[in-house]
Short mmCIF file of all heavy atoms in Angstrom, two decimals:
data_model
loop_
_atom_site.label_atom_id
_atom_site.label_comp_id
_atom_site.label_asym_id
_atom_site.label_seq_id
_atom_site.Cartn_x
_atom_site.Cartn_y
_atom_site.Cartn_z
N CYS C 20 196.56 123.15 141.83
CA CYS C 20 195.94 123.27 140.49
C CYS C 20 196.75 122.37 139.49
O CYS C 20 196.25 121.73 138.58
CB CYS C 20 195.86 124.74 140.04
SG CYS C 20 194.62 125.68 141.03
N TYR C 21 198.06 122.61 139.59
CA TYR C 21 198.98 121.86 138.64
C TYR C 21 198.73 120.31 138.79
O TYR C 21 198.69 119.66 137.78
CB TYR C 21 200.43 122.29 138.97
CG TYR C 21 201.38 121.47 138.15
CD1 TYR C 21 201.77 121.62 136.89
CD2 TYR C 21 202.04 120.40 138.86
CE1 TYR C 21 202.72 120.92 136.27
CE2 TYR C 21 203.01 119.59 138.17
CZ TYR C 21 203.30 119.97 136.87
OH TYR C 21 204.25 119.15 136.22
N VAL C 22 198.75 119.87 139.97
CA VAL C 22 198.58 118.40 140.28
C VAL C 22 197.32 117.93 139.67
O VAL C 22 197.26 116.85 139.05
CB VAL C 22 198.73 118.10 141.75
CG1 VAL C 22 198.26 116.70 142.04
CG2 VAL C 22 200.23 118.29 142.16
N ARG C 23 196.24 118.62 139.93
CA ARG C 23 194.91 118.21 139.39
C ARG C 23 194.90 118.10 137.91
O ARG C 23 194.51 117.21 137.34
CB ARG C 23 193.77 119.12 139.92
CG ARG C 23 193.41 118.98 141.39
CD ARG C 23 192.17 119.72 141.63
NE ARG C 23 191.74 119.53 143.10
CZ ARG C 23 192.12 120.34 144.08
NH1 ARG C 23 192.86 121.43 143.82
NH2 ARG C 23 191.75 120.09 145.29
N SER C 24 195.50 119.11 137.26
CA SER C 24 195.50 119.10 135.80
C SER C 24 196.40 118.06 135.29
O SER C 24 195.96 117.34 134.34
CB SER C 24 196.16 120.48 135.37
OG SER C 24 196.26 120.53 133.95
N LYS C 25 197.59 117.80 135.81
CA LYS C 25 198.37 116.66 135.41
C LYS C 25 197.79 115.36 135.45
O LYS C 25 197.78 114.54 134.61
CB LYS C 25 199.77 116.68 136.14
CG LYS C 25 200.65 117.86 135.83
CD LYS C 25 201.33 117.68 134.41
CE LYS C 25 202.41 116.60 134.56
NZ LYS C 25 203.07 116.55 133.17
N LEU C 26 197.18 115.09 136.65
CA LEU C 26 196.57 113.76 136.78
C LEU C 26 195.32 113.56 136.06
O LEU C 26 195.09 112.37 135.63
CB LEU C 26 196.15 113.59 138.38
CG LEU C 26 197.36 113.44 139.28
CD1 LEU C 26 196.89 113.28 140.71
CD2 LEU C 26 198.25 112.21 138.90
N LYS C 27 194.72 114.54 135.58
CA LYS C 27 193.49 114.42 134.73
C LYS C 27 193.84 114.27 133.27
O LYS C 27 193.05 113.79 132.42
CB LYS C 27 192.48 115.58 135.01
CG LYS C 27 191.90 115.63 136.26
CD LYS C 27 191.01 116.82 136.46
CE LYS C 27 190.25 116.92 137.84
NZ LYS C 27 189.48 118.06 138.03
N SER C 28 194.98 114.84 132.82
CA SER C 28 195.32 114.89 131.33
C SER C 28 196.55 114.20 130.87
O SER C 28 196.68 113.90 129.78
CB SER C 28 195.47 116.46 131.08
OG SER C 28 196.56 117.04 131.65
N ASP C 29 197.44 113.88 131.76
CA ASP C 29 198.75 113.29 131.36
C ASP C 29 198.75 111.76 131.57
O ASP C 29 198.43 111.25 132.66
CB ASP C 29 199.89 113.87 132.26
CG ASP C 29 201.14 113.63 131.62
OD1 ASP C 29 201.46 112.62 130.95
OD2 ASP C 29 202.13 114.45 131.85
N PRO C 30 198.98 111.04 130.47
CA PRO C 30 198.97 109.60 130.49
C PRO C 30 200.25 109.04 131.24
O PRO C 30 200.41 107.72 131.31
CB PRO C 30 198.91 109.14 129.05
CG PRO C 30 199.66 110.24 128.30
CD PRO C 30 199.29 111.56 129.10
N LEU C 31 201.24 109.82 131.67
CA LEU C 31 202.39 109.38 132.23
C LEU C 31 202.25 108.45 133.38
O LEU C 31 202.86 107.38 133.50
CB LEU C 31 203.27 110.59 132.58
CG LEU C 31 204.55 110.28 133.34
CD1 LEU C 31 205.52 109.50 132.43
CD2 LEU C 31 205.24 111.51 133.84
N TYR C 32 201.43 108.82 134.32
CA TYR C 32 201.39 108.14 135.61
C TYR C 32 200.73 106.77 135.55
O TYR C 32 201.29 105.80 136.13
CB TYR C 32 200.54 109.07 136.62
CG TYR C 32 201.17 110.38 136.72
CD1 TYR C 32 200.59 111.42 135.98
CD2 TYR C 32 202.37 110.58 137.32
CE1 TYR C 32 201.17 112.72 135.98
CE2 TYR C 32 202.95 111.86 137.32
CZ TYR C 32 202.36 112.95 136.57
OH TYR C 32 202.93 114.21 136.64
N ASP C 33 199.73 106.52 134.73
CA ASP C 33 199.28 105.24 134.45
C ASP C 33 200.30 104.38 133.74
O ASP C 33 200.40 103.10 133.95
CB ASP C 33 197.94 105.24 133.65
CG ASP C 33 196.79 105.65 134.45
OD1 ASP C 33 196.81 105.45 135.67
OD2 ASP C 33 195.71 106.13 133.93
N ALA C 34 201.11 105.00 132.77
CA ALA C 34 202.07 104.22 132.09
C ALA C 34 203.19 103.81 133.01
O ALA C 34 203.59 102.60 132.93
CB ALA C 34 202.65 105.06 130.94
N VAL C 35 203.59 104.60 133.90
CA VAL C 35 204.65 104.23 134.84
C VAL C 35 204.11 103.12 135.77
O VAL C 35 204.86 102.15 136.08
CB VAL C 35 205.21 105.39 135.65
CG1 VAL C 35 206.18 105.05 136.72
CG2 VAL C 35 205.88 106.50 134.72
N LEU C 36 202.99 103.26 136.26
CA LEU C 36 202.37 102.31 137.15
C LEU C 36 202.29 101.00 136.48
O LEU C 36 202.59 99.85 137.07
CB LEU C 36 201.02 102.71 137.53
CG LEU C 36 200.15 101.67 138.45
CD1 LEU C 36 200.80 101.49 139.71
CD2 LEU C 36 198.73 102.25 138.60
N ALA C 37 201.92 100.95 135.27
CA ALA C 37 201.78 99.69 134.43
C ALA C 37 203.12 98.97 134.31
O ALA C 37 203.19 97.68 134.40
CB ALA C 37 201.18 99.94 133.04
N GLU C 38 204.18 99.63 134.24
CA GLU C 38 205.49 99.16 134.10
C GLU C 38 206.07 98.60 135.38
O GLU C 38 206.75 97.58 135.39
CB GLU C 38 206.49 100.19 133.56
CG GLU C 38 206.21 100.59 132.10
CD GLU C 38 206.36 99.52 131.06
OE1 GLU C 38 207.13 98.55 131.44
OE2 GLU C 38 205.89 99.70 129.96
N LEU C 39 205.76 99.29 136.45
CA LEU C 39 206.41 98.98 137.80
C LEU C 39 205.58 98.20 138.81
O LEU C 39 206.11 97.67 139.72
CB LEU C 39 206.84 100.29 138.40
CG LEU C 39 207.79 101.17 137.55
CD1 LEU C 39 208.24 102.33 138.54
CD2 LEU C 39 208.96 100.39 137.05
N LYS C 40 204.24 98.03 138.61
CA LYS C 40 203.36 97.57 139.67
C LYS C 40 203.61 96.15 140.05
O LYS C 40 203.35 95.67 141.15
CB LYS C 40 201.94 97.82 139.26
CG LYS C 40 201.51 96.99 137.97
CD LYS C 40 200.05 97.20 137.72
CE LYS C 40 199.63 96.39 136.46
NZ LYS C 40 198.17 96.72 136.14
N ASP C 41 204.16 95.28 139.15
CA ASP C 41 204.34 93.91 139.44
C ASP C 41 205.72 93.62 140.03
O ASP C 41 206.01 92.36 140.18
CB ASP C 41 204.18 93.11 138.17
CG ASP C 41 202.68 93.25 137.65
OD1 ASP C 41 201.78 93.38 138.48
OD2 ASP C 41 202.54 93.19 136.43
N HIS C 42 206.53 94.50 140.35
CA HIS C 42 207.87 94.32 140.82
C HIS C 42 208.07 95.14 142.03
O HIS C 42 208.21 96.47 141.94
CB HIS C 42 208.88 94.67 139.77
CG HIS C 42 208.73 93.89 138.53
ND1 HIS C 42 207.87 94.32 137.54
CD2 HIS C 42 209.37 92.69 138.02
CE1 HIS C 42 207.89 93.41 136.53
NE2 HIS C 42 208.79 92.46 136.76
N ASP C 43 208.15 94.60 143.22
CA ASP C 43 208.20 95.24 144.49
C ASP C 43 209.63 95.63 144.76
O ASP C 43 210.32 95.00 145.68
CB ASP C 43 207.58 94.39 145.66
CG ASP C 43 207.40 95.25 146.93
OD1 ASP C 43 207.50 96.42 146.84
OD2 ASP C 43 207.28 94.57 148.00
N LEU C 44 210.20 96.65 144.08
CA LEU C 44 211.58 97.10 144.31
C LEU C 44 211.56 98.51 144.66
O LEU C 44 210.64 99.33 144.35
CB LEU C 44 212.35 96.97 143.01
CG LEU C 44 212.62 95.55 142.53
CD1 LEU C 44 213.21 95.53 141.07
CD2 LEU C 44 213.54 94.79 143.38
#
Side-chain angles (χ1 to χ4, degrees):
C20 294
Y21 171 80
V22 167
R23 285 192 179 93
S24 175
K25 288 287 283 185
L26 290 180
K27 290 177 180 178
S28 64
D29 196 331
L31 173 65
Y32 306 101
D33 281 340
V35 174
L36 176 64
E38 295 293 340
L39 303 185
K40 65 180 180 180
D41 296 328
H42 303 81
D43 189 20
L44 293 171

